[in-house]
Amino acid sequence: MRVEGRHYRTIWAAEDGTGDVEIIDQTRLPFDFAVARLTTVAQVAEAIATMRVRGAPLIGATAAWGLALAARADPSDEALASACAQLLATRPTAVNLRWALDDVAAVLAQLPPDRRAAAAARRAAEISDEDVAICEALGTHGAPLIEQAWAAKNGGEPVNVLTHCNAGWLAAVDWGTALAPVYKAHGQGIPVHVWADETRPRNQGASLTAWELGRHGVAHTVIVDNAGGHLMQRGLVDLVIVGTDRTTRTGDVCNKIGTYLKALAAQDCGVPFWVALPGPTIDWTIGDGLLIPIEQRDAGEVTRIFGRAEDGRGGWVQVTPDGTPARNDAFDVTPARLITGLITERGRCDASAEGLLRLYPERAG
Ligand code: MRU
């Protein structure tokens, strides 16, 4: 995607050939566009845990780059095992993290230590490229849903898509998941408008989704998290598209806290509820979404809110009385029965074991 006329991914190998990695620091958005350089696995772990990088596909790609930095520093079996454990502990819900680490570790296990650093960097770059291709394919398979919604409106008013959190290009290496169909449809000239849930507590919708849609010229409006059901009741939402951090083999979807409530409202109002996901987000080992580990984050993200004051300075502002206890579950689970369908890089399917196996037959048995 383009920022001020220049094409960016969210993560890339530094152009100076040092093997360092650069990222867009998402904790600085929407007020500052800043690139941060990562040189050690500890910095990568910190970047994932503090959400300088976030979103399931990007967390996976970043972890792969983290293992490459670890191999550059010390390619021994012990050091790599410790780096994997350090990275795996950063965020427990997005299964892409484990997927990427397993993938790179399997490549390195075949090689002598002196060849591991280069091989890890190569594989991390491939994983990044694969993610871009996968996410673009999500756009290709999802855009017809927006086109159909537009046809149903007789080509009149823009199609209203509601999304939760940020599942756009900032959440992946490029394109995004839930927003990839929006970008494709927009590129095809289909008028589309996005309702962006603000997504407390970290406000990824208000700060990141609004920022990237604005940069790309896609019409959008930020709404408070509780507004979606109300808008659906009034016919102001044509379809919902969200991303996911982990989808079970049976089609249950774990995504940013609040997604489940949107799915309930969508079902009550007869609004189609779609989930866009790359293959590496499917956890084939889990058959019940309630078994997915839910990340518990710092209560300070609930009791405070980050923003820019009128004097232009950014900072955290407390919104609860001193000492108020708070709970911060980062994700929830939407059961497959509430989901109209899944958009994958291989096409669309029902949110069910049968639906997923039709697209991923190699997973049968
Ligand atoms: O806590 P975050 O910001 O990493 O959560 C991100 C989401 O919930 C996204 O919807 C999900 O990762 C799918 S993204 C492409």
Side-chain angles (χ1 to χ4, degrees), residues 31-268:
F31 309 119
D32 299 308
F33 180 80
V35 170
R37 179 175 280 243
L38 307 176
T39 61
T40 65
V41 67
Q43 287 174 348
V44 171
E46 189 269 351
I48 298 173
T50 60
M51 296 168 64
R52 296 186 199 283
V53 287
R54 27 71 48 207
L58 179 56
I59 289 171
T62 307
W65 283 109
L67 209 45
L69 291 176
R72 182 179 71 168
D74 180 350
S76 67
D77 288 348
E78 302 72 34
L80 292 177
S82 149
C84 278
Q86 188 179 4
L87 291 165
L88 202 53
T90 52
R91 297 199 71 187
T93 302
V95 76
N96 308 57
L97 176 61
R98 188 183 73 202
W99 171 85
L101 290 173
D102 286 352
D103 183 301
V104 179
V107 171
L108 301 191
Q110 315 288 323
L111 298 171
D114 63 327
R115 290 180 49 205
R116 287 177 175 170
R122 248 192 328 271
R123 186 61 196 132
E126 282 167 10
I127 285 175
S128 299
D129 290 346
E130 285 163 17
D131 183 66
V132 176
I134 286 174
C135 288
E136 183 172 5
L138 298 181
T140 302
H141 294 300
L145 299 170
I146 297 174
E147 195 178 353
Q148 285 157 21
W150 192 46
K153 297 176 112 169
N154 296 318
E157 294 295 300
V159 177
N160 287 304
V161 177
L162 184 141
T163 193
H164 193 63
C165 195
N166 171 261
W169 73 270
L170 287 168
V173 179
D174 206 343
W175 284 99
T177 59
L179 292 188
V182 169
Y183 288 127
K184 281 281 177 189
H186 176 78
Q188 291 161 11
I190 298 167
V192 54
H193 164 265
V194 176
W195 296 112
D197 286 349
E198 63 175 348
T199 318
R200 274 285 280 151
R202 286 291 291 255
N203 285 327
Q204 292 95 326
S207 57
L208 303 178
T209 299
W211 182 81
E212 64 163 88
L213 289 173
R215 285 291 169 287
H216 205 75
V218 178
H220 61 281
T221 307
V222 173
I223 53 174
V224 296
D225 285 325
N226 296 327
H230 162 75
L231 295 178
M232 290 182 212
Q233 278 179 330
R234 277 156 178 74
L236 295 172
V237 180
D238 296 303
L239 70 161
V240 179
I241 313 180
V242 297
T244 167
D245 281 74
R246 197 184 295 222
T247 293
T248 66
R249 65 170 181 273
T250 52
D252 292 343
V253 161
C254 185
N255 190 48
K256 180 53 56 190
I257 193 80
T259 303
Y260 172 49
L261 291 177
K262 295 300 171 301
L264 285 170
Q267 186 174 68
D268 190 49

Side-chain angles (χ1 to χ4, degrees), residues 264-296:
L264 285 170
Q267 186 174 68
D268 190 49
C269 299
V271 172
F273 185 96
W274 288 88
V275 182
L277 62 139
T281 307
I282 305 168
D283 187 341
W284 297 97
T285 70
I286 295 188
D288 177 354
L290 294 181
L291 298 176
I292 294 173
I294 301 294
E295 178 182 8
Q296 300 291 317

